[in-house]
């Protein structure tokens, strides 16, 4: 979950500002104006449903059907906040919903799980799984993106992000072990 937030920040930051404004991708402007630590410290960013315990929100609430990169304070304030969730029951409900899924994979076990799924379907694949949605690759080929220097997780950043993924880590751990 922490790595997802770091990746999200740099993905947003890689968008050219003119394009982002035309597409109503309001979060992009924040990444152009603030360092990663500053960005994730802003109250309006910390309450955004695509940032604050997103796995949990996705599994237990209804998120709006619009661009997640949008930023509109009125809209954000009308969404169910993590504070409104019954946190003890939210994790239990999210894990229960995950349990009903036939198949689940995550980035850190994608290759093995994909091969496992293909075998279960009676298909074989011995080739390499190419990563085509890697920021360093897509920023070179997409005219609306620019190359950005990606930073590393520092103790300060980890401290800022931990509250934003507290519930998500419980769900992530459950998913990895099941």
């Amino acid at each position: 979950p922490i790595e997802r937030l770091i990746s999200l920040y740099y993905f947003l930051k890689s968008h050219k500002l003119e394009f982002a404004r035309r597409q109503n991708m309001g979060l992009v402007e924040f990444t152009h104006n603030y360092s990663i630590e500053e960005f994730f410290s802003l109250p309006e960013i910390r309450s955004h449903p695509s940032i604050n315990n997103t796995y949990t929100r996705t599994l237990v609430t209804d998120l709006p059907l619009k661009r997640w990169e949008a930023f509109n304070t009125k809209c954000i304030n009308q969404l169910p906040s993590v504070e409104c969730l019954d946190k003890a029951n939210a994790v239990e409900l999210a894990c229960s919903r995950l349990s009903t899924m036939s198949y689940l994979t995550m980035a850190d076990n994608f290759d093995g799980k994909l091969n496992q799924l293909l075998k279960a379907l009676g298909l074989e694949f011995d080739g390499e799984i190419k990563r085509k949605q890697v920021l360093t690759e897509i920023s070179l080929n997409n005219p609306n993106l620019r190359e950005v220097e990606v930073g590393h997780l520092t103790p300060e950043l980890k401290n800022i992000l931990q509250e934003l993924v507290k519930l998500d880590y419980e769900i992530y751990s459950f998913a990895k072990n099941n």
Side-chain angles (χ1 to χ4, degrees), residues 18-81:
E18 309 77 44
F19 171 77
R21 286 178 178 153
R22 285 193 312 271
Q23 297 296 314
N24 191 31
M25 298 170 68
L27 286 179
V28 169
E29 194 150 356
F30 281 89
T31 63
H32 282 250
N33 294 326
Y34 296 99
S35 72
I36 191 168
E37 292 87 1
E38 293 168 333
F39 176 81
F40 285 114
S41 294
L42 294 168
E44 56 267 51
I45 298 301
R46 294 182 71 80
S47 66
H48 194 286
S50 292
I51 293 172
N52 191 318
N53 288 289
T54 304
Y55 299 160
T56 305
R57 287 177 192 249
T58 301
L59 290 163
V60 302
T61 65
D62 293 327
L63 295 179
L65 297 174
K66 64 180 188 102
R67 289 197 80 117
W68 64 268
E69 309 97 327
F71 185 84
N72 178 317
T73 306
K74 287 181 187 176
C75 178
I76 298 300
N77 291 336
Q78 293 171 358
L79 293 171
S81 71

Side-chain angles (χ1 to χ4, degrees), residues 74-112:
K74 287 181 187 176
C75 178
I76 298 300
N77 291 336
Q78 293 171 358
L79 293 171
S81 71
V82 168
E83 290 73 33
C84 294
L85 295 175
D86 177 349
K87 291 179 184 169
N89 290 332
V91 170
E92 185 179 328
L93 177 58
C95 290
S96 172
R97 289 183 174 169
L98 278 177
S99 296
T100 66
M101 294 181 184
S102 299
Y103 201 80
L104 178 69
T105 187
M106 294 173 279
D108 60 351
N109 68 357
F110 183 76
D111 292 349

